[in-house]
Amino acid sequence: MPTSTEVVAHNWALAVYIIVALGLCAFMLIAAYFLGGRARARTKNVPYESGIDAVGSARLRLSAKFYLVAMFFVIFDVEALYLYAWSVSVRESGWIGFIEATIFIFVLLAGLFYLVRIGALDWTPARSKRQLKNKIPNNLQ
């Protein structure tokens, strides 16, 4: 069983790396504390935008649908990245790779149709749908 000095001797580069990284972090924090600005004023921490004073709060309540659309974008963007990687190696992957990519695309389309079906991509509020339905004549429904 190796002793602790043998382990340190075996992994000396890792130990030096960790010590240097921690020392550099400590140095940057201490230097920022001593070299940073010390000005204190009533308007020092007020946001400045093109010379115009801020009005109101910057904290807005956004609908959860904005986050839902952002998640959909990230998911489909990553999937497009996978398809790009597949298209670069299409000659090496052959027909098996083509079939796998086709199955992948069909799974994506099934997920998209499911999202549309449950109304996850529908931005119209329920009250607007009721108002719109009441305005449509009976002979067109």
Side-chain angles (χ1 to χ4, degrees):
M1 187 148 143
T3 62
S4 62
T5 55
E6 290 175 357
V7 171
V8 172
H10 184 68
N11 295 323
W12 66 271
L14 179 63
V16 169
Y17 174 76
I18 291 173
I19 291 170
V20 168
L22 291 175
L24 184 62
C25 289
F27 170 74
M28 287 190 290
L29 288 173
I30 292 170
Y33 176 76
F34 286 116
L35 298 175
R38 303 246 189 266
R40 303 273 188 245
R42 186 167 36 138
T43 60
K44 182 70 176 174
N45 294 326
V46 175
Y48 179 79
E49 184 69 32
S50 302
I52 300 172
D53 290 333
V55 178
S57 174
R59 306 229 181 244
L60 300 174
R61 292 185 58 106
L62 297 175
S63 171
K65 293 198 178 220
F66 286 107
Y67 301 108
L68 189 65
V69 169
M71 286 189 295
F72 291 153
F73 172 76
V74 169
I75 290 169
F76 285 107
D77 195 38
V78 169
E79 291 164 350
L81 182 72
Y82 284 128
L83 287 175
Y84 177 75
W86 169 80
S87 68
V88 169
S89 66
V90 70
R91 291 181 194 245
E92 292 85 12
S93 59
W95 283 104
I96 299 294
F98 178 76
I99 292 169
E100 290 173 351
T102 304
I103 292 170
F104 182 70
I105 291 171
F106 280 129
V107 169
L108 289 180
L109 287 175
L112 185 61
F113 287 137
Y114 173 75
L115 291 174
V116 169
R117 184 158 186 231
I118 66 170
L121 301 176
D122 190 14
W123 283 82
T124 308
R127 61 183 156 83
S128 295
K129 286 182 186 176
R130 285 192 305 263
Q131 291 172 355
L132 184 62
K133 188 175 182 182
N134 292 338
K135 289 182 182 180
I136 297 174
N138 289 335
N139 59 357
L140 295 178
Q141 285 183 353

